[in-house]
Amino acid sequence: MTWHKVKLGDILERKKNLVEIKDDEEYKLVTVRLFHKGVNLRKVAKGSELSSNKMHSVKTGEFILSGIDARHGAFGIVPAELEGAVVSNDFWCLSFDENIIEKHFFLKLTSTTFFDDLCKKASDGTTNRVRLQADKFFNLEITLPPIEEQKDFVRRYSKFEETNHSILTELNHQLALVKELRQAYLREAMQGKLARQDVADEPAEILLEKIKAEKEKLVAEKRIRRDKPLPPINAEEIPFEIPSNWTWCRLGVIGICQTGTTPPTAEKDNFGNFIPFVKPADISLKGINYNNEKLSEKGLKVGVLVEKDSLMMVCIGGSIGKSYFTDIDVSCNQQINVIKPLMSIRSQFLQYWLQSNYFQDSIWSKASGGTTPIVNRSKWESIFIPIPPLAEQER
């Protein structure tokens, strides 16, 4: 074995290049980001704005770490653009003995959990004042290969990183093309160009009349409340042409819509193991996670029952437009709008439409609010959707 043990104090030396801070001069201040994310400019400030009249100046290529956050991966090599920047006593500037260790090899070593653990062992203090202790740190031992092996490792690892970057770039490009292709299929589907047309298909206008009659029946049976009528679609509002046996309508026309609600959380017996309680984070374009929180039977009485084969869409925050259909009965919170399609319109078919660029653009155009955008139920129900005959939907 040509590898050998060395103390960190044998390969690293702490440098203290104190400079006097002048009130009328500007200084670059350094931050060392946690979890191996490097050394960056924090801000530029006048000397009069700084709390100390003496600080340490850093040099390009120095290894720098945060005495407070070293145990959380706050270290790195000073880049050229931060030459001459200043740091407080909480930061350690270290130079290398390059006859023993190659600095980029050491940087790779410091990006491991092994080095994080070393820094944790060398840190001490009360809960809010834990710091790296110099005597402990410099007495820690590591095992190193000969300097030429270190340089060879850095060369090989750099080539690997270049190859990996190239592969990831190409992969992201191909994934973008796949997304474009999927949207092209959806675009053609929405315009009636994906499946064949059949003059024998019952026109979608008749399907909408049947849905309207079904809703009236449910109202008469007091199973649902009568909806507020949605405004008709004017010819000049139609965004693109569709086949003659299709029809444009508003989303709320084709089913029963509702918005979720959360039972009072202070009443713990509202929650249990009776029915899944879906929240936005549980919905993805691949399915719904039913294994998180659940409501009790009592909780469902003040919650909302979402029947199997309903489609749920997130209507608040950065995930607006994310949707999927249910394959079991569930409940959901108030950040989700729901539609249960009527007269055999499949929620899976509806899901395809809702993920098209046209529909997603429509959803976001109706969002209101600043930092937390929201699409309320009435706006959601009013979005245009082209409906083909049922037989063509199946095709």
Side-chain angles (χ1 to χ4, degrees), residues 126-297:
T126 58
T127 304
N128 296 321
R129 301 287 293 177
V130 177
R131 277 181 165 77
L132 200 61
Q133 304 299 314
D135 56 341
K136 290 184 178 182
F137 180 74
F138 288 119
N139 277 306
L140 290 171
E141 287 188 330
I142 60 173
T143 304
L144 290 178
I147 190 71
E148 289 305 321
E149 284 189 36
Q150 295 176 39
K151 291 177 180 178
D152 185 54
F153 167 82
V154 170
R155 283 192 294 269
R156 288 171 180 265
Y157 196 86
S158 295
K159 290 182 75 172
F160 161 75
E161 286 184 315
E162 289 175 12
T163 302
N164 189 52
H165 176 73
S166 177
I167 291 171
L168 287 176
T169 300
E170 180 60 22
L171 176 61
N172 288 332
H173 174 62
Q174 294 298 329
L175 288 173
L177 292 178
V178 169
K179 185 176 181 180
E180 287 181 20
L181 179 62
R182 185 173 187 274
Q183 283 299 326
Y185 276 123
L186 288 176
R187 186 166 55 251
E188 292 207 344
M190 290 190 71
Q191 295 174 4
K193 299 176 182 177
L194 188 63
R196 64 180 174 82
Q197 307 292 311
D198 190 335
V199 293
D201 290 343
E202 181 182 78
E205 285 281 3
I206 296 177
L207 174 61
L208 290 190
E209 288 298 321
K210 290 181 177 179
I211 291 173
K212 182 178 179 181
E214 178 67 13
K215 281 191 175 183
E216 288 297 325
K217 178 183 175 184
L218 293 173
V219 169
E221 295 172 352
K222 298 184 178 179
R223 293 167 60 186
I224 64 171
R225 287 185 293 183
R226 188 179 302 279
D227 289 334
K228 183 179 178 181
L230 291 166
I233 298 174
N234 298 321
E236 59 270 18
E237 294 179 287
I238 293 173
F240 51 81
E241 292 295 318
I242 54 176
S244 58
N245 60 350
W246 289 35
T247 189
W248 281 99
C249 69
R250 296 184 188 272
L251 178 63
V253 167
I254 64 173
I256 301 168
C257 296
Q258 55 188 342
T259 298
T261 188
T262 300
T265 55
E267 298 177 29
K268 301 301 180 185
D269 56 354
N270 281 330
F271 299 85
N273 201 33
F274 180 66
I275 192 169
F277 184 59
V278 177
K279 289 175 280 193
D282 299 321
I283 300 175
S284 75
L285 297 181
K286 294 182 179 180
I288 299 170
N289 179 8
Y290 300 116
N291 297 318
N292 285 332
E293 200 164 19
K294 290 181 170 61
L295 298 184
S296 64
E297 289 186 69

Side-chain angles (χ1 to χ4, degrees), residues 280 283-285 311-324 335-337 350-351 353-356 359-364 367 373-375 380 383:
I283 300 175
S284 75
L285 297 181
L311 190 134
M312 299 195 297
M313 175 173 278
V314 179
C315 60
I316 189 170
S319 296
I320 283 176
K322 188 172 61 169
S323 64
Y324 209 76
Q335 297 176 323
I336 296 170
N337 286 329
L350 193 57
Q351 164 74 354
W353 296 134
L354 266 58
Q355 291 313 310
S356 68
F359 194 91
Q360 289 293 308
D361 289 345
S362 298
I363 282 284
W364 279 98
I374 186 170
V375 179
W380 187 65
I383 293 176

Side-chain angles (χ1 to χ4, degrees), residues 49-96:
E49 299 172 32
L50 304 180
S51 58
S52 177
N53 57 7
K54 286 189 177 181
M55 298 184 77
H56 299 275
S57 176
V58 301
K59 294 182 179 179
T60 302
E62 282 184 331
F63 184 77
I64 185 173
L65 60 80
S66 165
I68 298 173
D69 290 314
R71 65 191 192 282
H72 300 308
F75 29 69
I77 290 178
V78 176
E81 61 269 22
L82 291 180
E83 171 74 29
V86 295
V87 294
S88 69
N89 278 325
D90 286 327
F91 294 91
W92 297 15
C93 300
L94 303 166
S95 61
F96 302 84

